[in-house]
Amino acid sequence: MSDTLNRRIAIISEEILQYLLDYKTENPDFTFSLRKQDSSRSKEKRLEKGFWFQGSNYIYIGFFKKGDQDRKIQTIGFVLNFDQETGDLINNYIEISFKGGMSPEDTDFHTELAKRLNIEIDPKNFFGKGKYKGLDYLQNLKVFINTTLPTVHELLKKHKLTDQYLISEAEFQKMLVKTNSIRDKFLESVRKMKTSHHPLNQILYGPPGTGKTYNTINKALAIIQNISEKELIRKIKSDLKKANKNDSEEGIERQVRIELKKRFQEYLDNGQIVFTTFHQSMSYEDFVEGIKPSSENGELSYDIEDGIFKTIASKAQAEENNFEATIANLKEELLNTEKMEGLEIPNGQTSFGLTYRGGKVFHVQPQDSSKENPWYPVNIAKIQRLFETGNEEGVYNITYARRIIEYLKDKKGLVSENTKKETPHVLIIDEINRGNIAAIFGELITLIEDDKRLSAPEELTLTLPYSKEPFGVPKNLHIIGTMNTADRSVEALDSALRRRFQFIEMPPRPELLLNEEQTEEIVKLWNDDQYNIKRTDEDWYGKDFREVADALYSKLGITRQIEEMGIDKGERKKWAVSDFGDRLNMDLPLTNFLTTLNKRLEALLDRDHAIGHSYLINLKNLQDFKTALQHKIIPLLQEYFYNDYAKIGLVLGQGFVAKEDSETTFANFDDSEHDIQPHPTYHLANVENMTDEEFKEALIDFGLKIENK
């Protein structure tokens, strides 16, 4: 079995185990099966590798007793199957498996269970499986636990097999103690394996509106925490559930994005994540380092300042010491001293005064100077660089800088015994293709390669042109770029950049929008007696209504519950009827609209010039849809086709683009050289000012099957 597959199974096993333990926290009676020991027939030590569940090159999650030599059964479980070479997840499914030595009750139970779950059993092997759609194993496992397990428990009770199959709490805890004794030692290696799943350099690319910038938040946080994006979301949901125990599942879902942005902002504030946008004016001096003018006490000076990339690279590889804390304490002491000369620091046979007036420098006044009232500046950042690297380049008044460091070590507890930090840092570059890559990155384009990073096998450093400092890129600095494929600057993207980044496609996802089936379900819910607009105000206000209303809110994509909006009892019915009515009147299969739109764009242009789903998400009513078309989608089409309205008409249809015969009369002039034939003219409808009926008629011309009511 390949190392890649081993790592994949270990990482997913840990992720699933944590998910199940979190579920048990909220459901104390819940138990499941864990690997008790390695098979005596196997040479592999699977428990030591983190294989917490049954299975060798797959994962089998059991929820009932496995059986014994006489009664060999697995009963029912959730299975993940992998590609044996690449380690990629192939599918996940429900498995029913039972063999010989079973009683008639056992056989009847399994047979009825398979029938209830619509799983066909192979009569020779006593085996059957029901595959889930999609590869979101945590979501499918959640469905299994919430829908399949209750059916299993019901049938076990019916056939009087509960005690025979159920894993008791004592049995579960015994397995868990065994697992945790190994797991505690194993977690660190799992975290290291997870890190390898995040590329050091990646670019999210796709057409406009596909969520490239939106998804950089999730990816950056997953990198910082050394977990997968799925596990990141699961952990946030778990934290929110613990903090808001009374919230519904829909309520928790709505808070996830808010929590993601909150955590992202915290990392932005402490400098562990840096966000920037490339543009035509971005330069090497902005990105790496350059000479910038500054003024101190009216004196103009030119200092070498670190750019965006060098700043975060330096922070990522910084050694952990107490310099910053020590300097902060010294600044506070100097600001609070009543002595004009500040702090007196011995310097050989004499001494000097040290003061701080705010800003980037200390001021030094030597006691034996021949000058009258002399004050010399010492740059604090240069003191730190001298302390951490020993680099004296550009350090003015270096004698005083050295003595300040010695004083801080002797009197203020500054320590130079440093421990390397490898905390992940993330640089996000939005619109990376819009900058002149060769000019911005310069020589750093080589240093960002995985094997050229500091501590890598082929580690490289170089001397920067302004500061003359040696510089390398640390291996814990991740770069995430975004790239709009419809931008014409993509064609000129530096080939050296292409070779050094992994490209992750972000295509349009029309499945996130309302489709025909969902629209029909919404209409059905609306017409249900539970939502009948003839209900009394008391009924609308009651708990029963709010519970069933949440289901409709979820289908409609509404981001707030009724009680969260501060709507009082008297207005609740009026608001709900109006809001639900607007959405019902919309009644549009947006998935079909976006899918059709992008098929036509691909036929006329290419798949890089598509329209993303974000323009159509969370539309509340027809007017929102009109506004999105008028101000977001149509301007993109005009740019794509260089205002060729005939082609825009082929995409949108005659309801939105009308062809008009030209009746242009030219001036009286004898032109025998040209046979002028007036071109047809086109009229682009003002979508925002269309009536609902006109708009729906135009959508029917576009090709949507809707009822204009």
Side-chain angles (χ1 to χ4, degrees), residues 60 66 71-76 95-104 106-114 119-128 165:
Y60 178 94
K66 185 178 178 182
R71 195 172 148 271
K72 295 180 179 178
I73 62 169
Q74 286 182 306
T75 306
I76 180 169
E95 179 179 301
I96 297 179
S97 176
F98 56 105
K99 301 180 181 179
M102 300 182 68
S103 67
D106 287 321
T107 304
D108 290 345
F109 160 69
H110 285 91
T111 303
E112 186 174 354
L113 178 61
I119 294 177
E120 187 175 346
I121 298 293
D122 182 344
K124 293 183 179 179
N125 300 315
F126 302 99
F127 174 86
Y165 280 71

Side-chain angles (χ1 to χ4, degrees), residues 161-179:
L161 294 171
T162 299
D163 293 339
Q164 196 172 342
Y165 280 71
L166 196 66
I167 297 172
S168 69
E169 181 65 22
E171 290 170 316
F172 170 75
Q173 290 298 334
K174 186 177 180 180
M175 289 186 287
L176 184 61
V177 168
K178 170 79 173 179
T179 300

Side-chain angles (χ1 to χ4, degrees), residues 65 374 380 462 484 619 638:
K65 293 178 182 178
I380 297 172
L462 51 80
N484 181 352
L619 301 184
Q638 290 173 304

Side-chain angles (χ1 to χ4, degrees), residues 92-199:
N92 50 109
Y93 52 85
I94 301 173
E95 179 179 301
I96 297 179
S97 176
F98 56 105
K99 301 180 181 179
M102 300 182 68
S103 67
E105 291 83 6
D106 287 321
T107 304
D108 290 345
F109 160 69
H110 285 91
T111 303
E112 186 174 354
L113 178 61
K115 186 177 180 180
R116 286 278 293 272
L117 299 178
N118 294 316
I119 294 177
E120 187 175 346
I121 298 293
D122 182 344
K124 293 183 179 179
N125 300 315
F126 302 99
F127 174 86
K129 60 184 179 182
K131 290 184 180 179
Y132 285 98
K133 293 181 179 179
L135 299 179
D136 189 345
Y137 49 87
L138 288 182
Q139 178 60 33
N140 291 337
L141 180 59
K142 177 182 175 182
V143 172
F144 178 91
I145 292 171
N146 291 329
T147 62
T148 304
L149 283 186
T151 302
V152 180
H153 285 290
E154 175 194 333
L155 293 179
L156 285 174
K157 186 176 181 181
K158 175 182 176 181
H159 292 277
K160 300 180 180 179
L161 294 171
T162 299
D163 293 339
Q164 196 172 342
Y165 280 71
L166 196 66
I167 297 172
S168 69
E169 181 65 22
E171 290 170 316
F172 170 75
Q173 290 298 334
K174 186 177 180 180
M175 289 186 287
L176 184 61
V177 168
K178 170 79 173 179
T179 300
N180 280 340
S181 67
I182 303 169
R183 185 173 174 235
D184 290 343
K185 302 174 184 177
F186 187 74
L187 283 178
E188 183 60 32
S189 61
V190 169
R191 279 192 286 270
K192 289 179 180 177
M193 285 190 281
K194 287 178 182 177
T195 304
S196 65
H197 280 265
H198 297 292

